[in-house]
Coordinates of all heavy atoms in Angstrom, one line a residue:
M276 N 0.8 -1.2 0.0 CA 0.0 0.0 0.0 C 0.9 1.3 0.0 O 0.6 2.2 -0.7 CB -0.9 0.0 1.2 CG -1.9 1.2 1.3 SD -3.0 1.2 -0.1 CE -4.0 2.5 0.3
N277 N 1.9 1.3 0.9 CA 2.8 2.5 0.9 C 3.5 2.7 -0.4 O 3.6 3.9 -0.8 CB 3.8 2.4 2.0 CG 3.2 2.5 3.4 OD1 2.1 3.0 3.5 ND2 3.9 2.0 4.4
R278 N 3.9 1.7 -1.1 CA 4.5 1.8 -2.4 C 3.6 2.4 -3.4 O 3.9 3.3 -4.2 CB 5.0 0.5 -2.9 CG 5.7 0.5 -4.2 CD 6.2 -0.8 -4.7 NE 7.5 -1.0 -4.2 CZ 8.1 -2.1 -4.2 NH1 7.6 -3.1 -4.8 NH2 9.3 -2.2 -3.7
L279 N 2.3 2.0 -3.4 CA 1.3 2.6 -4.3 C 1.1 4.1 -4.0 O 1.0 4.8 -5.0 CB 0.0 1.8 -4.1 CG -1.2 2.4 -5.0 CD1 -0.9 2.2 -6.4 CD2 -2.5 1.6 -4.6
V280 N 1.0 4.5 -2.8 CA 0.9 5.9 -2.5 C 2.1 6.7 -3.0 O 1.9 7.7 -3.6 CB 0.7 6.1 -0.9 CG1 0.8 7.6 -0.6 CG2 -0.6 5.5 -0.5
F281 N 3.3 6.2 -2.8 CA 4.5 6.9 -3.3 C 4.5 7.0 -4.8 O 4.8 8.1 -5.3 CB 5.7 6.1 -2.8 CG 7.0 6.8 -3.4 CD1 7.5 7.9 -2.8 CD2 7.7 6.2 -4.4 CE1 8.6 8.5 -3.3 CE2 8.8 6.8 -4.9 CZ 9.3 8.0 -4.4
V282 N 4.1 5.9 -5.5 CA 4.0 6.0 -7.0 C 3.0 7.0 -7.4 O 3.3 7.8 -8.3 CB 3.8 4.6 -7.5 CG1 3.5 4.6 -9.0 CG2 4.9 3.6 -7.3
L283 N 1.8 7.0 -6.8 CA 0.8 8.0 -7.2 C 1.3 9.4 -6.9 O 1.1 10.3 -7.8 CB -0.5 7.7 -6.4 CG -1.3 6.5 -6.8 CD1 -2.5 6.3 -5.9 CD2 -1.8 6.7 -8.3
L284 N 1.9 9.7 -5.8 CA 2.4 11.0 -5.5 C 3.5 11.4 -6.5 O 3.6 12.5 -7.0 CB 3.0 11.1 -4.1 CG 1.9 11.1 -3.0 CD1 2.6 11.0 -1.6 CD2 1.0 12.3 -3.1
A285 N 4.4 10.5 -6.9 CA 5.4 10.8 -7.8 C 4.9 11.1 -9.2 O 5.4 11.9 -9.9 CB 6.4 9.6 -7.9
V286 N 3.8 10.4 -9.6 CA 3.1 10.7 -10.9 C 2.4 12.0 -10.8 O 2.5 12.8 -11.8 CB 2.2 9.5 -11.3 CG1 1.3 9.9 -12.5 CG2 3.0 8.3 -11.5
L287 N 1.7 12.3 -9.7 CA 0.9 13.5 -9.6 C 1.8 14.7 -9.4 O 1.5 15.8 -9.9 CB -0.1 13.4 -8.5 CG -1.2 12.4 -8.7 CD1 -2.1 12.2 -7.5 CD2 -2.1 12.8 -9.9
F288 N 2.9 14.6 -8.7 CA 3.8 15.7 -8.4 C 5.2 15.3 -8.7 O 6.1 15.1 -7.9 CB 3.7 16.0 -6.9 CG 2.3 16.3 -6.4 CD1 1.6 15.4 -5.7 CD2 1.8 17.6 -6.7 CE1 0.3 15.7 -5.3 CE2 0.5 17.8 -6.2 CZ -0.3 16.9 -5.6
P289 N 5.5 15.3 -10.0 CA 6.8 14.8 -10.5 C 8.0 15.7 -10.0 O 9.1 15.2 -9.8 CB 6.8 14.8 -12.0 CG 5.6 15.7 -12.3 CD 4.7 15.6 -11.2
A290 N 7.8 17.0 -9.8 CA 8.9 17.8 -9.3 C 9.3 17.4 -7.9 O 10.5 17.5 -7.6 CB 8.4 19.3 -9.3
G291 N 8.4 17.0 -7.1 CA 8.7 16.6 -5.8 C 9.6 15.3 -5.8 O 10.4 15.1 -4.9
A292 N 9.4 14.5 -6.8 CA 10.2 13.2 -6.9 C 11.6 13.5 -7.2 O 12.5 12.7 -6.9 CB 9.6 12.3 -7.9
F293 N 12.0 14.7 -7.7 CA 13.3 15.0 -8.1 C 13.9 16.1 -7.2 O 14.8 16.8 -7.5 CB 13.4 15.5 -9.5 CG 12.9 14.4 -10.5 CD1 11.7 14.6 -11.1 CD2 13.7 13.3 -10.7 CE1 11.3 13.6 -12.0 CE2 13.3 12.3 -11.6 CZ 12.1 12.5 -12.2
A294 N 13.4 16.2 -6.0 CA 13.8 17.3 -5.0 C 15.2 17.0 -4.6 O 15.7 15.9 -4.5 CB 12.9 17.3 -3.8
E295 N 16.0 18.1 -4.3 CA 17.3 18.0 -3.8 C 17.5 19.0 -2.7 O 16.7 20.0 -2.7 CB 18.3 18.2 -4.9 CG 18.2 19.5 -5.6 CD 19.2 19.7 -6.8 OE1 19.4 18.7 -7.5 OE2 19.7 20.8 -7.0
Q296 N 18.4 18.9 -1.9 CA 18.6 19.8 -0.8 C 19.3 21.1 -1.4 O 20.3 21.0 -2.1 CB 19.5 19.3 0.3 CG 19.6 20.3 1.5 CD 20.1 19.7 2.7 OE1 20.2 18.5 2.9 NE2 20.5 20.6 3.7
T297 N 18.8 22.2 -1.1 CA 19.3 23.5 -1.5 C 19.8 24.2 -0.3 O 19.0 24.3 0.7 CB 18.3 24.3 -2.3 OG1 17.8 23.6 -3.4 CG2 18.8 25.7 -2.7
N298 N 21.0 24.7 -0.3 CA 21.6 25.5 0.9 C 21.8 26.9 0.4 O 22.5 27.1 -0.6 CB 22.9 24.9 1.3 CG 22.7 23.5 1.9 OD1 21.8 23.2 2.7 ND2 23.5 22.6 1.4
L299 N 21.2 27.8 1.1 CA 21.3 29.2 0.7 C 21.9 30.0 1.8 O 21.3 30.4 2.8 CB 19.8 29.8 0.4 CG 19.7 31.2 -0.1 CD1 20.4 31.3 -1.4 CD2 18.3 31.6 -0.2
P300 N 23.2 30.3 1.6 CA 23.9 31.2 2.6 C 23.4 32.6 2.6 O 23.1 33.1 1.5 CB 25.4 31.2 2.2 CG 25.5 30.2 1.1 CD 24.1 29.9 0.5
I301 N 23.2 33.2 3.7 CA 22.7 34.5 3.8 C 23.8 35.5 3.9 O 24.7 35.4 4.8 CB 21.7 34.7 5.1 CG1 20.6 33.6 5.1 CG2 21.2 36.1 5.1 CD1 19.8 33.6 3.8
P302 N 24.0 36.4 3.0 CA 25.1 37.3 3.0 C 25.2 38.1 4.3 O 24.2 38.6 4.8 CB 24.8 38.3 1.8 CG 23.9 37.5 0.9 CD 23.1 36.6 1.8
G303 N 26.4 38.2 4.8 CA 26.7 38.9 6.0 C 26.3 38.2 7.3 O 26.4 38.8 8.4
E304 N 25.8 37.0 7.2 CA 25.4 36.2 8.4 C 26.2 34.9 8.4 O 26.8 34.5 7.5 CB 23.9 35.9 8.3 CG 23.0 37.0 8.2 CD 23.0 37.8 9.5 OE1 23.3 37.3 10.6 OE2 22.7 39.0 9.5
V305 N 26.2 34.3 9.6 CA 27.0 33.1 9.8 C 26.1 31.8 9.6 O 26.5 30.7 9.8 CB 27.7 33.0 11.2 CG1 28.7 34.1 11.3 CG2 26.6 33.1 12.3
W306 N 24.8 32.0 9.2 CA 23.9 31.0 9.1 C 23.4 30.9 7.6 O 23.6 31.8 6.8 CB 22.7 31.1 10.1 CG 22.1 32.4 10.1 CD1 22.5 33.5 10.8 CD2 20.9 32.8 9.3 NE1 21.6 34.6 10.5 CE2 20.6 34.2 9.6 CE3 20.0 32.1 8.5 CZ2 19.5 34.8 9.1 CZ3 19.0 32.8 7.9 CH2 18.7 34.2 8.3
Q307 N 22.7 29.8 7.3 CA 22.1 29.6 6.0 C 20.7 29.0 6.2 O 20.3 28.5 7.2 CB 23.0 28.7 5.2 CG 23.1 27.3 5.7 CD 24.0 26.5 4.8 OE1 24.7 27.0 3.9 NE2 24.2 25.2 5.1
I308 N 20.0 29.0 5.1 CA 18.7 28.4 5.0 C 18.8 27.2 4.1 O 19.3 27.3 3.0 CB 17.6 29.4 4.6 CG1 17.4 30.5 5.6 CG2 16.3 28.6 4.3 CD1 16.4 31.5 5.2
S309 N 18.3 26.0 4.6 CA 18.3 24.8 3.8 C 16.9 24.3 3.6 O 16.0 24.4 4.5 CB 19.1 23.7 4.5 OG 20.4 24.1 4.7
F310 N 16.6 23.9 2.3 CA 15.3 23.4 2.0 C 15.4 22.4 0.9 O 16.3 22.4 0.1 CB 14.3 24.5 1.7 CG 14.8 25.4 0.6 CD1 14.5 25.2 -0.7 CD2 15.5 26.5 1.0 CE1 14.9 26.1 -1.7 CE2 16.0 27.4 0.0 CZ 15.7 27.2 -1.4
D311 N 14.4 21.5 0.7 CA 14.3 20.6 -0.4 C 13.5 21.2 -1.5 O 12.4 21.8 -1.3 CB 13.7 19.3 0.0 CG 14.5 18.5 1.0 OD1 15.8 18.7 1.0 OD2 14.0 17.6 1.7
S312 N 14.0 21.2 -2.7 CA 13.3 21.7 -3.9 C 13.8 21.0 -5.2 O 14.9 20.5 -5.2 CB 13.5 23.2 -4.0 OG 14.8 23.5 -4.4
P313 N 13.1 21.1 -6.2 CA 13.6 20.7 -7.5 C 14.8 21.7 -7.9 O 14.9 22.7 -7.3 CB 12.4 20.9 -8.5 CG 11.4 21.6 -7.8 CD 11.7 21.6 -6.3
P314 N 15.6 21.3 -8.8 CA 16.7 22.2 -9.2 C 16.2 23.5 -9.6 O 15.2 23.6 -10.4 CB 17.3 21.5 -10.4 CG 17.0 20.0 -10.2 CD 15.6 20.0 -9.6
L315 N 16.7 24.6 -9.0 CA 16.2 26.0 -9.3 C 16.9 26.6 -10.4 O 18.1 26.4 -10.6 CB 16.4 26.8 -8.0 CG 15.6 26.3 -6.8 CD1 16.0 27.1 -5.5 CD2 14.1 26.3 -7.0
S316 N 16.2 27.5 -11.1 CA 16.7 28.3 -12.2 C 16.2 29.7 -12.0 O 15.4 30.0 -11.2 CB 16.4 27.7 -13.5 OG 15.0 27.7 -13.7
Q317 N 16.7 30.6 -12.9 CA 16.3 32.0 -12.9 C 16.5 32.6 -11.5 O 15.6 33.2 -11.0 CB 14.9 32.2 -13.4 CG 14.8 31.7 -14.8 CD 13.4 31.8 -15.4 OE1 12.5 32.3 -14.7 NE2 13.2 31.4 -16.6
H318 N 17.7 32.4 -10.9 CA 17.9 33.0 -9.6 C 18.0 34.5 -9.7 O 18.6 35.1 -10.6 CB 19.3 32.6 -9.0 CG 19.4 31.1 -8.9 ND1 20.1 30.5 -7.9 CD2 18.8 30.0 -9.5 CE1 20.0 29.2 -7.9 NE2 19.3 28.9 -9.0
E319 N 17.4 35.2 -8.7 CA 17.5 36.7 -8.6 C 17.8 37.0 -7.1 O 17.2 36.4 -6.2 CB 16.2 37.4 -9.0 CG 15.9 37.2 -10.5 CD 14.7 38.0 -10.8 OE1 14.3 39.0 -10.2 OE2 14.0 37.5 -11.8
E320 N 18.7 37.9 -6.8 CA 19.1 38.3 -5.5 C 19.1 39.8 -5.4 O 19.4 40.5 -6.4 CB 20.4 37.8 -5.1 CG 20.5 36.3 -5.0 CD 21.9 35.8 -4.5 OE1 22.8 35.7 -5.4 OE2 22.1 35.6 -3.3
A321 N 18.7 40.3 -4.2 CA 18.8 41.8 -4.0 C 19.3 41.9 -2.6 O 18.9 41.2 -1.6 CB 17.4 42.4 -4.1
R322 N 20.3 42.8 -2.4 CA 20.9 43.1 -1.1 C 21.0 44.6 -0.8 O 21.3 45.3 -1.7 CB 22.4 42.5 -1.1 CG 22.5 41.1 -1.4 CD 23.9 40.7 -1.6 NE 24.0 39.4 -2.3 CZ 25.0 38.7 -2.4 NH1 26.2 39.1 -1.8 NH2 25.0 37.6 -3.1
K323 N 20.7 44.9 0.4 CA 20.8 46.2 0.9 C 21.3 46.1 2.4 O 21.4 44.9 2.9 CB 19.5 47.0 0.9 CG 19.0 47.4 -0.4 CD 17.7 48.2 -0.2 CE 17.1 48.6 -1.6 NZ 15.9 49.3 -1.4
E324 N 21.6 47.1 3.0 CA 22.0 47.1 4.4 C 21.0 46.4 5.3 O 19.9 47.0 5.5 CB 22.3 48.5 4.9 CG 22.8 48.6 6.3 CD 24.2 48.1 6.5 OE1 25.0 48.3 5.5 OE2 24.6 47.6 7.6
G325 N 21.2 45.2 5.8 CA 20.3 44.5 6.7 C 19.1 43.9 6.0 O 18.3 43.4 6.7
V326 N 19.1 43.8 4.7 CA 18.0 43.2 4.0 C 18.5 42.3 2.8 O 19.4 42.7 2.1 CB 17.0 44.3 3.3 CG1 15.9 43.6 2.6 CG2 16.5 45.2 4.4
Y327 N 17.9 41.1 2.7 CA 18.3 40.2 1.6 C 17.1 39.6 1.1 O 16.2 39.2 1.8 CB 19.3 39.1 2.2 CG 19.6 38.1 1.2 CD1 20.4 38.4 0.1 CD2 19.1 36.8 1.3 CE1 20.7 37.4 -0.9 CE2 19.4 35.8 0.4 CZ 20.3 36.1 -0.7 OH 20.6 35.1 -1.6
A328 N 17.0 39.5 -0.3 CA 15.8 38.9 -0.9 C 16.4 37.9 -2.0 O 17.4 38.2 -2.7 CB 15.0 40.0 -1.6
F329 N 15.7 36.8 -2.1 CA 16.1 35.8 -3.0 C 14.8 35.3 -3.7 O 13.8 35.1 -3.1 CB 16.8 34.6 -2.3 CG 17.1 33.4 -3.2 CD1 18.2 33.4 -3.9 CD2 16.2 32.3 -3.2 CE1 18.5 32.3 -4.7 CE2 16.5 31.2 -4.0 CZ 17.6 31.2 -4.8
R330 N 14.9 35.0 -5.0 CA 13.8 34.5 -5.8 C 14.3 33.5 -6.8 O 15.3 33.8 -7.5 CB 13.0 35.6 -6.4 CG 11.8 35.1 -7.2 CD 10.9 36.3 -7.6 NE 11.6 37.1 -8.6 CZ 11.1 38.1 -9.2 NH1 9.8 38.5 -8.9 NH2 11.7 38.8 -10.1
A331 N 13.6 32.4 -7.0 CA 14.0 31.4 -8.0 C 12.8 30.6 -8.3 O 11.8 30.6 -7.6 CB 15.2 30.6 -7.6
N332 N 12.9 29.8 -9.4 CA 11.8 28.9 -9.7 C 12.3 27.6 -10.4 O 13.5 27.6 -10.8 CB 10.7 29.6 -10.5 CG 11.2 29.9 -11.9 OD1 11.8 29.1 -12.6 ND2 10.9 31.1 -12.3
S333 N 11.4 26.7 -10.6 CA 11.7 25.5 -11.3 C 10.3 25.0 -11.9 O 9.6 24.4 -11.1 CB 12.3 24.4 -10.4 OG 12.5 23.2 -11.2
G334 N 10.0 25.4 -13.1 CA 8.7 25.1 -13.6 C 7.6 25.8 -12.8 O 7.7 27.0 -12.7
R335 N 6.7 25.1 -12.3 CA 5.6 25.7 -11.5 C 6.0 25.9 -10.0 O 5.2 26.4 -9.3 CB 4.4 24.8 -11.6 CG 3.9 24.7 -13.0 CD 2.6 24.0 -13.1 NE 2.6 22.8 -12.4 CZ 1.5 21.9 -12.3 NH1 0.4 22.2 -12.9 NH2 1.6 20.8 -11.6
F336 N 7.2 25.5 -9.6 CA 7.6 25.7 -8.2 C 8.3 27.0 -8.2 O 9.3 27.3 -8.9 CB 8.6 24.5 -7.8 CG 9.2 24.7 -6.5 CD1 8.4 24.3 -5.4 CD2 10.4 25.3 -6.3 CE1 9.0 24.4 -4.1 CE2 10.9 25.4 -5.0 CZ 10.2 25.0 -3.9
N337 N 7.9 27.9 -7.3 CA 8.4 29.2 -7.1 C 8.8 29.4 -5.6 O 8.0 28.9 -4.7 CB 7.5 30.3 -7.5 CG 7.1 30.3 -8.9 OD1 8.0 30.5 -9.8 ND2 5.8 30.0 -9.2
I338 N 9.9 30.0 -5.3 CA 10.3 30.3 -4.0 C 10.7 31.8 -3.9 O 11.5 32.3 -4.8 CB 11.4 29.4 -3.4 CG1 11.6 29.7 -2.0 CG2 12.6 29.5 -4.2 CD1 12.3 28.6 -1.2
S339 N 10.2 32.5 -2.9 CA 10.7 33.8 -2.6 C 11.1 33.9 -1.1 O 10.3 33.4 -0.2 CB 9.5 34.9 -2.8 OG 9.2 34.9 -4.1
L340 N 12.2 34.5 -0.8 CA 12.7 34.5 0.5 C 13.2 35.9 0.9 O 13.8 36.5 0.1 CB 13.9 33.5 0.6 CG 14.7 33.5 1.9 CD1 14.1 32.5 2.8 CD2 16.1 33.2 1.7
F341 N 12.8 36.4 2.1 CA 13.2 37.7 2.5 C 13.8 37.6 3.9 O 13.2 36.9 4.8 CB 12.0 38.6 2.6 CG 11.3 38.7 1.3 CD1 10.2 37.9 0.9 CD2 11.7 39.7 0.3 CE1 9.6 38.0 -0.3 CE2 11.1 39.8 -0.9 CZ 10.0 39.0 -1.2
V342 N 14.9 38.2 4.1 CA 15.6 38.2 5.5 C 15.7 39.7 5.8 O 16.3 40.5 5.0 CB 16.9 37.5 5.4 CG1 17.6 37.6 6.8 CG2 16.7 36.1 5.1
E343 N 15.2 40.1 6.9 CA 15.3 41.5 7.4 C 16.0 41.6 8.7 O 15.9 40.7 9.5 CB 13.9 42.2 7.4 CG 13.3 42.2 6.0 CD 11.8 42.7 6.1 OE1 11.2 42.6 7.2 OE2 11.4 43.2 5.1
R344 N 16.5 42.8 9.0 CA 17.1 43.1 10.3 C 15.9 43.0 11.4 O 14.8 43.5 11.1 CB 17.7 44.4 10.3 CG 18.4 44.8 11.6 CD 19.1 46.1 11.5 NE 20.1 46.0 10.5 CZ 20.5 47.0 9.7 NH1 19.9 48.2 9.8 NH2 21.5 46.8 8.8
P345 N 16.2 42.5 12.6 CA 15.2 42.5 13.6 C 14.7 43.9 13.9 O 15.4 44.8 13.9 CB 15.9 41.8 14.8 CG 17.1 41.1 14.2 CD 17.4 41.9 13.0
A346 N 13.4 43.9 14.3 CA 12.8 45.2 14.7 C 13.3 45.7 16.0 O 13.3 46.9 16.3 CB 11.3 45.1 14.7
G347 N 13.7 44.8 16.9 CA 14.1 45.1 18.3 C 15.5 44.6 18.6 O 16.2 44.1 17.7
P348 N 15.9 44.7 19.8 CA 17.3 44.4 20.2 C 17.5 42.9 20.5 O 18.6 42.5 20.7 CB 17.5 45.2 21.5 CG 16.2 45.3 22.1 CD 15.2 45.4 20.9
G349 N 16.5 42.1 20.4 CA 16.6 40.7 20.7 C 17.4 39.8 19.8 O 17.8 40.3 18.7
M350 N 17.7 38.6 20.2 CA 18.5 37.7 19.4 C 17.7 36.4 19.0 O 18.2 35.6 18.3 CB 19.7 37.3 20.1 CG 20.7 38.5 20.4 SD 21.3 39.2 18.9 CE 22.4 37.9 18.3
T351 N 16.5 36.2 19.5 CA 15.7 35.0 19.2 C 14.3 35.4 18.8 O 13.9 36.6 19.0 CB 15.6 34.0 20.4 OG1 14.8 34.6 21.4 CG2 17.0 33.8 20.9
H352 N 13.5 34.5 18.3 CA 12.1 34.8 17.9 C 11.2 35.1 19.1 O 10.2 35.6 19.0 CB 11.6 33.6 17.1 CG 11.4 32.4 17.9 ND1 12.5 31.6 18.3 CD2 10.3 31.8 18.4 CE1 12.0 30.5 19.0 NE2 10.7 30.6 19.1
N353 N 11.7 34.7 20.4 CA 10.9 35.0 21.6 C 11.1 36.3 22.2 O 10.4 36.7 23.1 CB 11.2 33.9 22.6 CG 10.6 32.5 22.2 OD1 9.5 32.5 21.6 ND2 11.2 31.5 22.6
D354 N 12.1 37.1 21.8 CA 12.4 38.3 22.4 C 11.4 39.4 22.0 O 10.8 39.4 21.0 CB 13.8 38.8 21.9 CG 14.9 38.0 22.4 OD1 14.8 37.4 23.5 OD2 15.9 37.9 21.7
P355 N 11.0 40.3 23.0 CA 10.0 41.3 22.8 C 10.5 42.3 21.7 O 11.7 42.6 21.6 CB 9.8 42.0 24.1 CG 11.1 41.7 24.9 CD 11.6 40.4 24.3
V356 N 9.6 42.9 21.0 CA 9.9 43.9 20.0 C 9.9 45.2 20.6 O 9.2 45.6 21.4 CB 8.8 43.8 18.9 CG1 9.1 44.9 17.9 CG2 8.8 42.5 18.2

């Protein structure tokens, strides 16, 4: 049964069957963002002081990513703004 479900998903969503890990280093930071996606093309990047934007696609798969400077003095997602 599990094999049948996998085959059906691979046929219905072929891009997912060819996913690979993508590592995106964030300029000016010591960390990166990693995600699984089909091979990406048409990369576009924009950089300003404290702001980074990335956009790419693979057929019908599109990804847009924005990294901005924190609004407050905190260092984690739980810190008050």
Side-chain angles (χ1 to χ4, degrees):
M276 182 65 174
N277 288 340
R278 179 180 274 171
L279 176 61
V280 171
F281 176 77
V282 170
L283 285 175
L284 288 174
V286 170
L287 293 174
F288 304 102
F293 301 107
E295 59 186 35
Q296 184 167 350
T297 301
N298 298 311
L299 184 61
I301 306 302
E304 299 294 334
V305 297
W306 52 275
Q307 66 182 4
I308 295 178
S309 300
F310 54 92
D311 291 337
S312 72
L315 298 172
S316 61
Q317 299 179 2
H318 299 213
E319 294 181 29
E320 294 180 276
R322 302 173 198 192
K323 290 184 183 179
E324 182 73 29
V326 178
Y327 174 69
F329 174 85
R330 181 171 66 177
N332 68 47
S333 178
R335 296 187 314 180
F336 178 83
N337 296 297
I338 184 162
S339 298
L340 173 91
F341 302 92
V342 177
E343 299 176 331
R344 182 176 298 144
M350 296 297 291
T351 72
H352 67 284
N353 287 327
D354 293 331
V356 176

